[in-house]
Amino acid sequence: MSIIWSMTWKELLRKRVLLLTFLMTVVFLIGFWFIAGAIGGEVSIDANNNEGLIQEFTVGMFILMLGFFFASFVLAFLAIFSSFSAIAGEAEQGVMQAMLPRPLPRWKWYIGRWLGYVSLGIIYALILFSLILWITDIHAAIPRDPAVLVQSFLLFASVVPLLVTVSMFGSGYLSSVANGVVMTMLYGAGWLGGMIGKIAGAIGLKPEPLQTLNNVAGILQLIMPADALQRKMQAVLFSFEDISGLIPVSMSGPLGLGDIPSPAFLVYTLFYTVVLFCLGLRRFIRKDL
């Protein structure tokens, strides 16, 4: 299993998708640096009184929400496009026919691949998460509670095993191109569900159509919970329940938090991931290569 894990790392490091992700990340961080500097520099902050500290934290919170709004896309696309051809692509190229006749159980190959994709994605998530916090800290204020930072990072990185699991499950049934398209649409559907939840309450709809939109948003987020995990991450990072009465946190709008997922939703997401992992593994073991 460790051999497959290390082989996955070597393949990912050679693939152009990782190079393109790195270049996109550099461009994003450069742009984020100037955006954070522009937002932080436009606000006159007096840190010697409570109002000044609250204002500084509010500015930092807005910068972080902006940064993680785009960082979530970068992380999601790395997880999807690194693993969408894990099974179908290698079967089409004849790689599996050369490897699996050897004394290597299929379950070890599948788990080794999964661990390779997930571990690399989590390391990338840690780097991206740390750099966003560092850039924001230079221009404004960020949360400094270690427990809060650890919890928020775990939620931020939890998107990686979720998307890799769904992507490898789909790769057992679909071709590489079809799986890539489906995964992109699934992630887009989850993001759309979150966006509907953010803006539905801000456009003044009557209760009946508002309930319909909320139902649609809930279904989309159950199908793909990735965006909901990112909103939960921001709620934990900003200690939303503690500061909601002190700082005007926007619940609606593209950068708002929307409806914050409950602990039960996190349990559902874990169950969702485990079930699809087991189904994907079962499909791969029985698949005719």
Side-chain angles (χ1 to χ4, degrees), residues 9-75:
W9 269 60
K10 292 177 182 179
E11 289 182 2
L12 287 175
L13 292 174
R14 289 197 302 264
K15 282 184 177 180
R16 291 184 178 180
V17 63
L18 202 61
L19 176 60
L20 291 175
T21 302
F22 174 75
L23 293 176
M24 287 173 56
T25 304
V26 171
V27 173
F28 161 70
L29 290 174
I30 292 174
F32 181 63
W33 174 281
F34 286 106
I35 291 172
I39 296 174
E42 286 295 320
V43 180
S44 178
I45 297 174
D46 181 9
N48 295 321
N49 56 67
N50 292 334
E51 291 185 1
L53 293 175
I54 292 175
Q55 187 180 17
E56 185 180 15
F57 187 83
T58 304
V59 172
M61 186 170 61
F62 178 77
I63 295 173
L64 285 175
M65 292 176 72
L66 185 64
F68 284 120
F69 178 79
F70 291 101
S72 61
F73 285 98
V74 180
L75 182 62

Side-chain angles (χ1 to χ4, degrees), residues 121-144:
I122 289 177
I123 291 174
Y124 173 79
L126 177 60
I127 296 172
L128 187 60
F129 184 85
S130 302
L131 288 175
I132 289 175
L133 288 176
W134 175 68
I135 292 173
T136 304
D137 191 36
I138 292 175
H139 300 288
I142 63 170
R144 298 187 181 278

Side-chain angles (χ1 to χ4, degrees), residues 85-104:
S85 61
I87 297 174
E90 296 194 4
E92 293 166 0
Q93 296 172 7
V95 175
M96 289 187 183
Q97 289 83 346
M99 291 189 60
L100 292 181
R102 301 178 182 182
L104 176 67

